[in-house]
Amino acid sequence: DDPEAVIFAARTALDFRMAFHKDVMIDLVCFRRHGHNEADEPAVTQPVMYEKIRRHPGVRHLFARKLVEEGVVGAEDPDRFVEEYRDALDAGRRVAFHPAADVKYPYIADWSIFLDRRWTEPAETALPIQELKRLGAAIHRIPDDFELHPRVAKILSNRRKMVAGGLPVDWGCAETLAYASLLEAGYPVRLTGQDSGRGTFFHRHAVLHNQRGGEIYIPLRHVAENQPRFTVIDSILSEEAVVGFEYGYSTTDPGTLVVWEAQFGDFANVAQVVIDQFISSSEQKWERLCGLVLLLPHGWEGQGPEHTSARLERFLQLCSQENIQVAVPTTPAQMFHLLRRQMLRRYRKPLVVMSPKSMLRDKLSFSPIEDLTSGGFQTVIPEADPIDALGVARVVLCSGKVYYDLLQARRKENRDDIAILRVEQLYPFPRDELAPALAAFPRAGEVVWAQEEPMNQGAWYSIQHLLRASIRPTQSLSYTGRPSSAAPAGGHHKQHMVRQERLVQAALNRQGTEPAPLLVFPAQQPPSLQPARS
């Protein structure tokens, strides 16, 4: 009932905090005149309180009366102010002024350069080999008196060989090189998550620990002179709070690569409210852009239902109007280009990455250093083996780790009548890249989408209409994968391996299998499951 007292309390609290750097609590006592909303009837449950509220004149009337009595405004002015305000609202004029419109605040970010951009915005993400070697030397340089754990020392020793071209580049090396290159280019990097410093799967080692005294050393803070900050934080198991903070950080600083990594992709479900209410929809609701990266370890490895799925299907269900990006990289080079692309393009949208787990150590997935010095992120990766395109009768499409299961099985069986293509970006869907990749096999009559996830999960339901729009009218499209399931995965590793093998064989051979471990979906679908063509 006393607006001036509220302003006085707020200013006093702010002055106190600025002077003494202490937190302040303002106890503001309020009530709702209309209950839950204007159409509510709160007297049904609070009759005594709302009888008093009905007799209460309200803040505006009390303050207006005080101003009139003190001679600040005339007796007719309060009603005139209200009428003018309502007329302005009816006319669609702006009635709320910006309190800091004339203030030159140095920390206000300029988002204008990212407006009205498409996801096809180009970016040069490859780096010359000499630059990679220089960055590699910087991030693998350790103080003389620093004793590494033997396993970590071996990893860094191998990475020096990777940058020199002596070994294929693994995931940890490619990711670290991406961060180092961005730091040298002037982009701060911020990485948070439950085990971000070391990496949940012992793959990153951004923070090194002295085995003698326990001191830490962070190589990425020593890439170049006067480089921007590199922040790595092992955050608490409070995903909603941490993801919410990182979202807010990324909305205020488009020039920083802000990354949150889940310990397992499943753990992002605790932050689902932040993903639904802010990350996926803030641009549509409030014209608020954000470049947050979510690294969500995802893949079927027999680890049980709580350590398997980042719920790819949920993110794809949220996709529309180019609001977010969803990618499933299958090589370290792809991760390198993807992270660099996120900052080097004049395009800022949240990036959801179904990142690897067991694939981190799969040498079949490692990249030659040349893949970092040329090209860029491939939304679709074509056939990797030198097979005769005219002899291909079936094309298998997939995303993620299952590709390597399919590849090894095909090589083992010496099959040259099957091509395997990888869709590395699921949204925005790369139709312009997929259609010509499929057209490279003119005699292929079958196209199969193979996935590890159960049928009601993963990408199938969200992209099948896009797949149909990418194939030729004479080709059939079918699904191979696990049947629909309420849980993401089983917890028995041996049974998982049996099911995975049957899934792979079904994708390659289209043979009937037991319906329990997997399901082969025919090309002609029941009408109730036919998606709308777009």
Side-chain angles (χ1 to χ4, degrees), residues 472-492:
R472 297 190 300 274
T474 56
Q475 289 178 314
S476 65
L477 174 67
S478 55
Y479 162 92
T480 297
R482 288 172 169 81
S484 294
S485 172
H492 193 281

Side-chain angles (χ1 to χ4, degrees), residues 177-339:
L177 285 172
Y179 295 147
S181 67
L182 291 172
L183 289 165
E184 187 178 59
Y187 297 98
V189 176
R190 178 180 175 86
L191 174 62
T192 62
Q194 284 92 358
D195 210 357
S196 294
R198 188 199 73 172
T200 296
F201 307 101
F202 210 78
H203 68 287
R204 180 173 293 119
H205 303 289
V207 179
L208 304 177
H209 297 262
N210 193 335
Q211 296 301 298
R212 291 179 182 173
E215 302 86 5
I216 67 169
Y217 178 73
I218 302 177
L220 283 167
R221 291 182 179 171
H222 305 277
V223 174
E225 291 186 12
N226 302 317
Q227 70 171 68
R229 64 192 177 278
F230 172 76
T231 304
V232 56
I233 300 171
D234 288 341
S235 57
I236 60 174
L237 280 163
S238 179
E239 291 85 355
E240 180 183 359
V242 179
V243 174
F245 185 90
E246 300 307 318
Y247 162 78
Y249 198 108
S250 67
T251 64
T252 58
D253 192 354
T256 294
L257 177 64
V258 183
V259 181
W260 178 75
E261 181 179 50
Q263 201 162 42
F264 283 82
D266 314 62
F267 299 173
N269 59 12
V270 183
Q272 196 68 42
V273 65
V274 180
I275 295 165
D276 292 347
Q277 298 292 94
F278 297 92
I279 294 173
S280 65
S281 58
S282 61
E283 182 181 3
Q284 184 64 221
K285 293 191 290 189
W286 311 308
E287 298 182 351
R288 188 82 167 172
L289 296 178
C290 150
L292 179 64
V293 177
L294 301 181
L295 298 183
L296 309 179
H298 175 85
W300 267 243
E301 281 123 348
Q303 292 184 294
E306 315 307 339
H307 293 80
T308 296
S309 176
R311 291 294 189 178
L312 171 61
E313 63 279 356
R314 290 182 182 170
F315 289 98
L316 293 178
Q317 193 177 45
L318 294 171
C319 292
S320 185
Q321 300 172 301
E322 293 190 17
N323 59 333
I324 62 177
Q325 309 164 85
V326 180
V328 192
T330 57
T331 71
Q334 284 283 84
M335 180 67 85
F336 173 84
H337 292 296
L338 182 63
L339 290 172

Side-chain angles (χ1 to χ4, degrees), residues 67-246:
L67 294 177
V68 170
E69 291 173 352
E70 294 179 353
V72 177
V73 299
E76 306 298 328
D77 285 339
D79 290 337
R80 179 172 59 82
F81 293 155
V82 172
E83 185 175 347
E84 290 175 354
Y85 188 86
R86 289 186 176 277
D87 289 344
L89 288 174
D90 291 339
R93 296 196 298 272
R94 184 183 295 274
V95 296
F97 71 95
H98 197 302
D102 299 323
V103 176
K104 302 303 180 183
Y105 186 59
Y107 301 109
I108 293 179
D110 180 15
W111 286 89
S112 61
I113 61 174
F114 304 108
L115 300 177
D116 301 321
R117 302 279 183 173
R118 295 297 310 279
W119 71 270
T120 51
E121 188 83 11
E124 181 56 56
T125 58
L127 286 175
I129 184 62
Q130 293 305 320
E131 191 167 339
L132 286 174
K133 289 181 177 180
R134 181 170 46 77
L135 291 172
I139 60 179
H140 298 131
R141 188 182 301 120
I142 310 301
D144 293 336
D145 58 346
F146 205 90
E147 182 178 330
L148 294 172
H149 187 281
R151 289 181 62 189
V152 177
K154 176 64 174 175
I155 289 172
L156 296 191
S157 175
N158 285 340
R159 288 183 183 175
R160 294 186 186 97
K161 298 175 183 177
M162 293 172 189
V163 177
L167 290 174
V169 177
D170 69 10
W171 291 81
C173 183
E175 181 189 353
T176 306
L177 285 172
Y179 295 147
S181 67
L182 291 172
L183 289 165
E184 187 178 59
Y187 297 98
V189 176
R190 178 180 175 86
L191 174 62
T192 62
Q194 284 92 358
D195 210 357
S196 294
R198 188 199 73 172
T200 296
F201 307 101
F202 210 78
H203 68 287
R204 180 173 293 119
H205 303 289
V207 179
L208 304 177
H209 297 262
N210 193 335
Q211 296 301 298
R212 291 179 182 173
E215 302 86 5
I216 67 169
Y217 178 73
I218 302 177
L220 283 167
R221 291 182 179 171
H222 305 277
V223 174
E225 291 186 12
N226 302 317
Q227 70 171 68
R229 64 192 177 278
F230 172 76
T231 304
V232 56
I233 300 171
D234 288 341
S235 57
I236 60 174
L237 280 163
S238 179
E239 291 85 355
E240 180 183 359
V242 179
V243 174
F245 185 90
E246 300 307 318

